[in-house]
Amino acid sequence: MFNILFLLLVGFCSSAASFLATNPQNTDDIQYLHLLLSDEKAERMRLQTQVDKMASALQTLQEQMEEKQNCDCSKNTPNVAFRTELSKDLGSVSSNHVVIFDEVDLNLGSAYEPRHGIFTAPVNGTYLFSMALGNPKDHAGAFFMKKNSQTIEYAIAGHTTGWNMGGVTTVAELNAGDDVWVEGEGYISGAYSHIRYHTGFSGILIHAY
């Protein structure tokens, strides 16, 4: 669009110059055309400035896109993940009882503290967490997932006949230093046998920022 306007203005300038060359006797027309030529020159300079700015902005945008494409995004998100299970029955526990999952199968980044059962976010980011509770019949129990003492998820088990499980998966936005853990209430069952873990807690960092 700017190129078309530029060409039109150049054409007008040429026509005006030709008119001056063929009609030197008309003083008023000559002065008027001089004014038009002056305005045309100012407008052409303004348009050229805008074109230069747009070209510069486009170049910057292209460089940013190339830099983003060449970026190894995996370097921005550290490898943080954990998976734990409860190997033994805790029996009946009172409210606010922190469940310490003693079997740690995975602890990339060492963000899960197995002595206290607490996960501490190493960086700001979006995290995915999951917890599951398996209880036999007539042994009702509940899990509460906590973020800095605030409940963010809830699951129950043992309210129906036979063995049953309750679980939930959620996402949470954490700042570095935020803690996430699981509290139990009622009956908390561990493994049915050493190969049948059904009560656990896990998490992974999805994206750091």
Side-chain angles (χ1 to χ4, degrees):
M1 178 179 178
F2 286 117
N3 289 336
I4 294 174
L5 291 174
F6 183 76
L7 291 174
L8 290 174
L9 288 172
V10 170
F12 173 78
C13 180
S14 299
S15 299
S18 176
F19 180 85
L20 288 175
T22 57
N23 299 274
Q25 70 283 3
N26 194 329
T27 305
D28 292 339
D29 289 343
I30 292 174
Q31 291 178 345
Y32 177 67
L33 286 174
H34 272 302
L35 290 174
L36 290 179
L37 288 172
S38 177
D39 291 342
E40 180 276 335
K41 182 178 180 181
E43 181 66 12
R44 179 156 43 91
M45 292 178 63
R46 185 185 69 81
L47 290 175
Q48 186 61 50
T49 299
Q50 290 186 358
V51 170
D52 292 342
K53 288 182 178 179
M54 292 180 65
S56 177
L58 179 60
Q59 179 65 28
T60 300
L61 180 61
Q62 289 176 336
E63 292 175 355
Q64 292 176 346
M65 292 179 63
E66 291 176 358
E67 181 180 354
K68 185 175 182 179
Q69 290 175 350
N70 297 330
C71 173
D72 184 1
C73 297
S74 62
K75 294 181 179 179
N76 298 328
T77 299
N79 199 5
V80 178
F82 73 99
R83 184 179 66 250
T84 66
E85 288 90 20
L86 188 63
S87 66
K88 57 184 180 297
D89 291 352
L90 299 183
S92 295
V93 299
S94 58
S95 300
N96 304 319
H97 179 91
V98 177
V99 179
I100 299 176
F101 298 88
D102 55 323
E103 291 287 340
V104 181
D105 297 332
L106 181 70
N107 196 11
L108 299 177
S110 301
Y112 176 77
E113 173 51 66
R115 294 175 299 174
H116 306 113
I118 296 175
F119 173 86
T120 302
V123 296
N124 299 346
T126 304
Y127 293 77
L128 177 74
F129 294 100
S130 179
M131 65 179 182
L133 170 64
N135 275 349
K137 66 176 181 178
D138 300 327
H139 290 74
F143 265 178
F144 303 85
M145 188 182 295
K146 299 284 186 174
K147 171 192 171 183
N148 298 336
S149 299
Q150 178 184 2
T151 299
I152 58 176
E153 283 297 350
Y154 168 74
I156 59 174
H159 290 266
T160 59
T161 59
W163 277 83
N164 60 92
M165 294 182 63
V168 66
T169 298
T170 189
V171 294
E173 183 180 27
L174 304 180
N175 295 321
D178 283 348
D179 294 328
V180 177
W181 66 92
V182 174
E183 292 181 359
E185 179 181 295
Y187 193 88
I188 305 300
S189 177
Y192 180 70
S193 68
H194 70 283
I195 59 172
R196 295 186 180 180
Y197 294 107
H198 48 252
T199 298
F201 177 41
S202 60
I204 186 171
L205 170 62
I206 301 174
H207 176 66
Y209 47 82

